[in-house]
């Protein structure tokens, strides 16, 4: 029987990665997720060495292999590429993150697929439809009050419950998310073999940013899995629920940190058809290949998002409650790093808790060491992501090269 019992509020990528790492080490944990199931929350997710290495550390071998086989095919160039509205390449920059594998690099995944992989094998530890409300802690442990009226007790509570974290509010009531002013509209556009053959090759590089003279910006990313997801899941995780996914292009449209033509209330209340009309209006006059992506958008896939951040904090006193992912370093998608850092958080914390379980490290020292490491690797990227000087033309981006 495990010496430790870890409570995890939030069943997103970081929380599930942590739970997988703990299970791998034989450490008891329970995950409480307010949503009733693994919902569709976003589409294509850029992966780098931070996230990929965390998955390798925490997942059993067969699930890590499933992640690799269901990742997108190797791009022609593993770079972020800026083009103009006519498809002319303007600048490139390397992706953020440590060196990548040369044969099967970490590329991109379908977000829902990755969450389903992370849920595999720990279904009995994840309680859906149960929200963390508040906690109490003392020298003996931590008590977590839940929305179903129950009480969970453990040695450490991990707030992995996102930017609106109830755990963070209890731990740091003075910390509130800040609005960046960025408004984004996400959507999927189909990518059949016929459509793919008609598109310029630059659209199949790592990740594409297209912009025009009005300030309209479209992030465009292909998702074509290395192997059909249903086939890979049937072989590697036959007892798991892994939904099939057809290839697609993800589109994320914004005006940088400026407002969209619709107000916030209009964005929230707009139908998919109205949001689609806005996207078409903003990209009128774009090159036919780019314009076609917008024309073919699957209207039910469209959803708007207001981008908020948490500003970096100075060191705080470690306790029996800690935070990971968006609950402590929510950031704009500028560098595609947020989810990767949440996974890294999960692996970093799991590694320290393994040492606590083995009697090599006191619990509070482990929490303090994790938090210090997290601030060191996450906060510089957070600060860059909200710095307006890192413009969408990549001319001031890290490693940027104008062409």
């Amino acid at each position: 029987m495990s010496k430790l019992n870890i409570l995890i509020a939030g069943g997103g990528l970081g929380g599930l990665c942590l739970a997988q790492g703990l299970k791998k080490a034989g450490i008891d944990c329970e995950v409480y997720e307010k949503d009733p199931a693994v919902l569709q929350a976003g589409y294509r997710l850029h992966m780098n060495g931070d996230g990929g290495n965390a998955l390798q550390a925490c997942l059993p071998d067969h699930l890590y292999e499933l992640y690799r086989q269901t990742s997108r095919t190797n791009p022609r160039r593993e770079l972020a590429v800026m083009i103009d509205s006519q498809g002319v390449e303007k600048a490139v920059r390397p992706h953020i993150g440590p060196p990548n594998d040369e044969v099967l690099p970490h590329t991109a995944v379908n977000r829902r697929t990755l969450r389903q992989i992370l849920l595999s094998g720990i279904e009995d530890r994840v309680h859906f439809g149960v929200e963390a409300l508040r906690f109490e802690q003392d020298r003996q442990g931590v008590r977590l009050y839940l929305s179903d009226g129950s009480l969970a007790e453990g040695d450490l509570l991990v707030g992995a419950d996102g930017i609106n974290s109830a755990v963070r509010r209890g731990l740091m009531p003075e910390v509130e998310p800040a609005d960046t002013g960025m408004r984004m509209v996400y959507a999927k556009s189909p990518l059949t073999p016929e459509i793919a053959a008609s598109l310029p090759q630059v659209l199949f590089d790592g990740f594409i940013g297209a912009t025009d003279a009005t300030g309209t910006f479209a992030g465009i990313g292909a998702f074509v899995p290395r192997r059909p997801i249903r086939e890979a899941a049937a072989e590697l995780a036959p007892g798991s629920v892994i939904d099939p996914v057809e290839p697609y292009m993800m589109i994320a449209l914004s005006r940088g940190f400026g407002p969209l033509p619709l107000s916030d209330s209009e964005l929230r209340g707009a139908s998919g058809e109205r949001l689609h009309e806005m996207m078409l209006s903003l990209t009128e006059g774009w090159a036919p290949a780019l314009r076609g992506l917008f024309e073919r958008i699957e209207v039910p896939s469209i959803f708007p998002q207001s981008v908020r951040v948490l500003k970096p904090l100075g060191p705080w006193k470690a306790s029996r409650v800690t935070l990971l992912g968006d609950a402590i370093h929510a950031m704009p998608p500028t560098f595609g790093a947020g989810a990767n850092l949440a996974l890294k958080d999960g692996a970093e914390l799991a590694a320290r808790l393994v040492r606590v379980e083995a009697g090599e490290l006191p619990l509070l020292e482990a929490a303090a060491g994790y938090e210090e490491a997290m601030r060191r690797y996450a906060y510089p990227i957070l600060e860059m992501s909200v710095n307006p000087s890192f413009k969408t033309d990549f001319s001031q981006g890290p490693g940027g090269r104008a062409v």
Side-chain angles (χ1 to χ4, degrees):
M1 183 175 178
S2 171
K3 299 176 186 176
L4 290 174
N5 183 31
I6 309 301
L7 308 179
I8 303 171
L13 299 177
L16 292 178
C17 186
L18 170 61
Q20 286 281 1
L22 296 177
K23 181 190 177 184
K24 195 174 186 179
I27 299 174
D28 291 339
C29 69
E30 300 291 332
V31 181
Y32 302 95
E33 167 55 48
K34 67 179 181 180
D35 288 336
V38 176
L39 304 179
Q40 180 67 65
Y43 301 116
R44 179 192 185 276
L45 184 66
H46 170 70
M47 293 295 296
N48 63 24
D50 281 329
N53 294 341
L55 292 173
Q56 186 172 21
C58 292
L59 287 173
D61 291 345
H62 71 289
L63 292 181
Y64 178 68
E65 183 60 24
L66 181 58
Y67 149 74
R68 296 210 304 172
Q69 291 193 23
T70 56
S71 294
R72 78 160 280 192
T73 52
N74 293 9
R76 181 183 65 157
R77 296 182 295 175
E78 185 54 54
L79 295 168
V81 182
M82 176 59 67
I83 60 176
D84 65 19
S85 63
Q86 302 308 304
V88 177
E89 186 174 318
K90 307 301 291 184
V92 298
R93 75 172 182 218
H95 291 302
I96 293 286
N100 215 334
D101 186 272
E102 294 183 2
V103 179
L104 285 178
H106 305 294
T107 53
V109 294
N110 185 64
R111 180 187 286 268
R112 179 175 165 86
T113 303
L114 181 56
R115 278 192 73 188
Q116 290 178 323
I117 290 171
L118 284 165
L119 181 62
S120 297
I122 59 170
E123 294 90 345
D124 60 332
R125 302 185 182 205
V126 181
H127 308 276
F128 285 104
V130 182
E131 183 177 4
L133 300 178
R134 63 185 180 88
F135 65 85
E136 297 171 349
Q137 62 172 320
D138 55 31
R139 292 183 178 181
Q140 281 68 51
V142 61
R143 293 167 296 284
L144 179 63
Y145 294 84
L146 301 161
S147 60
D148 63 356
S150 64
L151 174 69
E153 298 183 279
D155 298 292
L156 180 76
L157 169 62
V158 182
D161 47 345
I163 192 169
N164 296 314
S165 171
V167 176
R168 187 191 65 248
R169 285 198 301 270
L171 188 66
M172 306 170 177
E174 73 284 1
V175 177
E176 290 291 337
D179 189 349
T180 66
M182 181 184 287
R183 302 293 182 263
M184 305 191 74
V185 180
Y186 287 88
K188 289 197 303 181
S189 187
L191 192 58
T192 64
E194 294 75 21
I195 293 173
S198 72
L199 297 175
Q201 284 299 300
V202 69
L203 294 183
F204 295 93
D205 289 333
F207 193 74
I208 309 306
T211 190
D212 64 17
T214 71
T216 297
F217 175 85
I220 302 170
F223 179 72
V224 181
R226 289 176 172 135
R227 185 180 178 190
I229 290 175
R230 185 192 298 275
E231 176 186 299
E235 177 188 333
L236 294 166
S240 299
V241 177
I242 312 288
D243 296 327
V245 179
E246 296 299 318
Y248 61 86
M249 280 284 194
M250 186 195 76
I251 297 172
L253 188 73
S254 74
R255 301 295 297 274
F257 288 99
L260 288 169
L262 299 182
S263 68
D264 285 355
S265 61
E266 289 173 325
L267 282 172
R268 287 192 297 269
S271 65
E273 288 77 11
R274 188 180 184 191
L275 293 174
H276 191 208
E277 290 172 3
M278 182 191 70
M279 298 175 85
L280 291 173
S281 174
L282 288 172
T283 55
E284 188 175 357
W286 285 34
L290 295 174
R291 179 72 174 176
L293 294 177
F294 290 90
E295 292 171 344
R296 292 187 294 269
I297 279 175
E298 299 167 352
V299 172
S301 74
I302 302 174
F303 69 92
Q305 185 176 65
S306 298
V307 179
R308 296 175 297 153
V309 300
L310 289 171
K311 296 180 180 179
L313 304 173
W316 56 88
K317 184 178 179 180
S319 69
R320 288 183 178 270
V321 181
T322 192
L323 302 160
L324 65 73
D326 282 354
I328 190 60
H329 51 67
M331 63 186 67
T334 314
F335 296 117
N340 288 280
L341 292 174
L343 293 168
K344 183 178 177 68
D345 290 347
E348 289 280 343
L349 181 54
R352 286 169 170 80
L353 292 176
V354 169
R355 294 184 61 196
V356 176
E357 177 78 4
E360 300 173 359
L361 193 65
L363 179 62
L364 294 189
E365 188 175 327
Y370 154 71
E371 291 165 353
E372 180 181 359
M374 179 271 295
R375 288 188 291 264
R376 188 169 58 248
Y377 61 69
Y379 280 177
I381 298 175
L382 170 57
E383 290 177 321
M384 285 194 299
S385 72
V386 297
N387 186 343
S389 69
F390 289 94
K391 298 178 181 179
T392 54
D393 66 5
F394 289 25
S395 62
Q396 297 185 52
R401 174 179 64 82
V403 295

